[in-house]
Amino acid sequence: AIEKLSKKDESFNKIDEVINNAPTIVQEIDKLILEMTSKGATPDQLKPLEEKRKLLMYAVQYGDLWNMGGKDVAGALFGMIKGKIGL
């Protein structure tokens, strides 16, 4: 049981880290996109960065929800899912 709690805490800590660093990472991706565009990058070359930026923007936009109680909701959902699939 302690191992399971430790793994859950570790996962939530990683999520916290992404949410807390998302604004900085988005700024760096924006700089990289501008630099690549100025050097003639094609839309196909920019697509992976734009997709990562889009995902990180969700972290920026919804990070407050996570911090206000999302961890508790996620923990409850994970517990229910694990119970239903027998983990």
Side-chain angles (χ1 to χ4, degrees), residues 32-47:
L32 189 55
I33 289 172
L34 283 173
E35 180 182 327
M36 289 176 67
T37 301
S38 71
K39 293 181 178 182
T42 66
D44 285 342
Q45 291 170 321
L46 296 174
K47 188 174 182 176

Side-chain angles (χ1 to χ4, degrees), residues 36-78:
M36 289 176 67
T37 301
S38 71
K39 293 181 178 182
T42 66
D44 285 342
Q45 291 170 321
L46 296 174
K47 188 174 182 176
L49 284 175
E50 290 169 345
E51 288 172 356
K52 288 176 185 169
R53 184 189 187 285
K54 183 178 178 180
L55 289 174
L56 286 164
M57 286 305 297
Y58 288 129
V60 171
Q61 292 170 346
Y62 300 110
D64 289 340
L65 291 174
W66 174 259
N67 291 327
M68 291 187 317
K71 291 177 208 176
D72 298 331
V73 172
L77 287 173
F78 290 146

Side-chain angles (χ1 to χ4, degrees), residues 2-19:
I2 292 174
E3 282 183 30
K4 288 182 182 179
L5 286 175
S6 178
K7 287 181 182 180
K8 183 176 86 171
D9 289 341
E10 184 179 316
S11 296
F12 287 166
N13 287 339
K14 288 179 183 179
I15 293 170
D16 285 338
E17 188 176 321
V18 169
I19 288 171

Side-chain angles (χ1 to χ4, degrees), residues 11-31:
S11 296
F12 287 166
N13 287 339
K14 288 179 183 179
I15 293 170
D16 285 338
E17 188 176 321
V18 169
I19 288 171
N20 292 333
N21 291 319
T24 304
I25 298 168
V26 167
Q27 288 177 346
E28 293 300 316
I29 289 174
D30 287 343
K31 288 178 191 176

